Amino acid sequence: MLVSHRGRFIYTKTAKTAGTSVEVYFEPWCFAEGSWSFAHHRAESITPAGIVGYRGPNSKGSRFYNHMSAEALREMVGPETWSSYFKFCVIRNPFDKIVSAFHWKHRETDTQEMNQTALVQRFRAWVQAGGTVLDRGQYTVDGELCLDAYIRYESLEPDLQGICQRLNLPWEPERLPRLKSGLRPTGLTLREYYDRATAERIRRDFAFEFEHFGYCPEL
């Protein structure tokens, strides 16, 4: 997550939405001009220029951390900053998001080398056992949407360009990194991952997102 006093914006970080890549793109405006340098993992940074939440495997002890909720962030920065800064995050089709979450969860196993039938069976078993990623708290407070803009993963670059225009920041697509990608094997369509039961589970778990963000609840 980011709070930029230089750019007067707040970015809440959702899961499996190219969130780290977007975070890295906007990080320079959370540091004094010219002092930023790239880091995949980053310690919590709190300066007069802004705040970067801890990014890494263990956020214990950090006041600000990568996937903190919008409510917690609002409490930390205070109502004046929260209400006056431009707030945004990235969203993604829930069906696609859960497939991405599955491959990230199993990134250290041999899912890329499994045959397609075995991979699909493993995915469906994982979903039915409760495998998911729910990060609604990053863009809602008290069950209501609380941000000013929602970038779509499916149109990431043009939406980011729009955010930069809104914030009067330069849009430099060559600076947008491609982090945590390449984990999903090729050859399977999104529809092929799901059967009726797993698709229904996603529709139920993400009913809020289907309703508020306009994603189609059918595959």
Side-chain angles (χ1 to χ4, degrees), residues 6-218:
R6 288 178 57 201
R8 296 182 62 82
F9 66 78
I10 292 172
Y11 168 72
T12 64
K13 186 178 179 184
T14 51
K16 311 318 303 168
T17 57
T20 302
S21 298
V22 174
E23 189 173 42
V24 168
Y25 185 89
F26 287 100
E27 269 185 0
W29 290 280
C30 298
F31 291 88
E33 188 171 359
S35 66
W36 176 85
S37 60
F38 171 79
H40 197 157
H41 290 167
R42 185 176 293 284
E44 176 186 46
S45 172
I46 305 173
T47 72
I51 301 167
V52 179
Y54 172 87
R55 184 168 65 243
N58 184 3
S59 62
K60 185 177 181 180
S62 299
R63 296 172 59 204
F64 296 91
Y65 48 93
N66 51 0
H67 291 294
M68 70 188 298
S69 70
E71 182 175 17
L73 183 53
R74 183 182 66 174
E75 291 177 0
M76 292 293 286
V77 302
E80 182 176 349
T81 295
W82 180 262
S83 62
S84 63
Y85 282 22
F86 184 80
K87 301 173 289 294
F88 64 100
C89 75
V90 187
I91 58 173
R92 186 175 186 175
N93 183 319
F95 289 114
D96 196 34
K97 184 184 183 87
I98 293 303
V99 171
S100 179
F102 166 78
H103 285 293
W104 175 252
K105 178 73 173 179
H106 298 88
R107 63 191 179 279
E108 296 180 357
T109 65
D110 296 327
T111 54
Q112 293 202 37
E113 299 178 8
M114 296 174 65
N115 68 63
Q116 292 184 354
T117 299
L119 177 60
V120 166
Q121 289 176 344
R122 185 169 184 178
F123 169 77
R124 292 174 180 176
W126 178 75
V127 171
Q128 290 293 59
T132 191
V133 52
L134 290 174
D135 51 7
R136 195 168 298 145
Q138 272 78 327
Y139 45 82
T140 63
V141 172
D142 296 329
E144 300 291 336
L145 293 173
C146 63
L147 306 184
D148 300 305
Y150 300 87
I151 300 168
R152 290 182 181 266
Y153 177 88
E154 299 79 16
S155 54
L156 187 65
E157 291 201 8
D159 283 5
L160 284 175
Q161 183 177 14
I163 295 294
C164 288
Q165 291 172 345
R166 167 65 177 75
L167 295 172
N168 197 28
L169 301 176
W171 169 236
E172 301 166 333
E174 68 279 2
R175 284 205 311 103
L176 182 66
R178 298 292 187 268
L179 304 173
K180 300 181 182 178
S181 61
L183 296 174
R184 188 186 303 193
T186 59
L188 279 172
T189 67
L190 189 61
R191 183 187 298 273
E192 288 173 317
Y193 276 91
Y194 290 92
D195 58 9
R196 181 178 299 177
T198 50
E200 180 55 35
R201 185 178 187 93
I202 302 308
R203 282 191 285 268
R204 183 173 65 249
D205 289 350
F206 290 89
F208 181 94
E209 285 70 26
F210 286 118
E211 178 183 355
H212 288 82
F213 296 138
Y215 286 110
C216 179
E218 304 298 329

